Amino acid sequence: PVHNRGKFFREIIVSLAKVLITSLFLLILLSLALGFLGLLKRNSARKDSTVRALTLRVILSFTLIVTIGILYKLGLISPN
């Protein structure tokens, strides 16, 4: 019974990790879209939003890479 509990918690952690990775990826895509829309607008306030979107995208990408690396090292995810 104790072994099954450990397996259950591992499956929950893996599921949460997948949700985290998917969420980060979707946020990166959203930031990309917002940056693109900022480029289409011609006023200077939108240029600042483009820079903020780029900064956010870089931070989210770095966070995604680090998260995947940590989860891989912990053995919670593996390549197919």
Side-chain angles (χ1 to χ4, degrees):
V2 174
H3 179 64
N4 288 338
R5 228 180 284 155
K7 187 175 182 181
F8 175 72
F9 286 124
R10 180 179 170 84
E11 289 176 4
I12 289 176
I13 292 172
V14 169
S15 296
L16 290 174
K18 289 179 181 180
V19 169
L20 176 65
I21 289 171
T22 304
S23 299
L24 283 171
F25 185 71
L26 290 175
L27 285 172
I28 290 168
L29 291 178
L30 178 65
S31 176
L32 181 65
L34 290 174
F36 179 71
L37 290 175
L39 283 175
L40 293 179
K41 302 291 179 174
R42 297 206 184 238
N43 63 22
S44 63
R46 288 305 238 174
K47 297 293 181 188
D48 291 338
S49 68
T50 303
V51 172
R52 276 183 285 186
L54 173 62
T55 304
L56 180 63
R57 191 165 62 249
V58 169
I59 291 169
L60 289 171
S61 298
F62 179 76
T63 304
L64 178 63
I65 291 169
V66 169
T67 302
I68 290 173
I70 290 171
L71 293 172
Y72 177 75
K73 286 291 185 183
L74 291 175
L76 296 174
I77 60 172
S78 62
N80 287 337

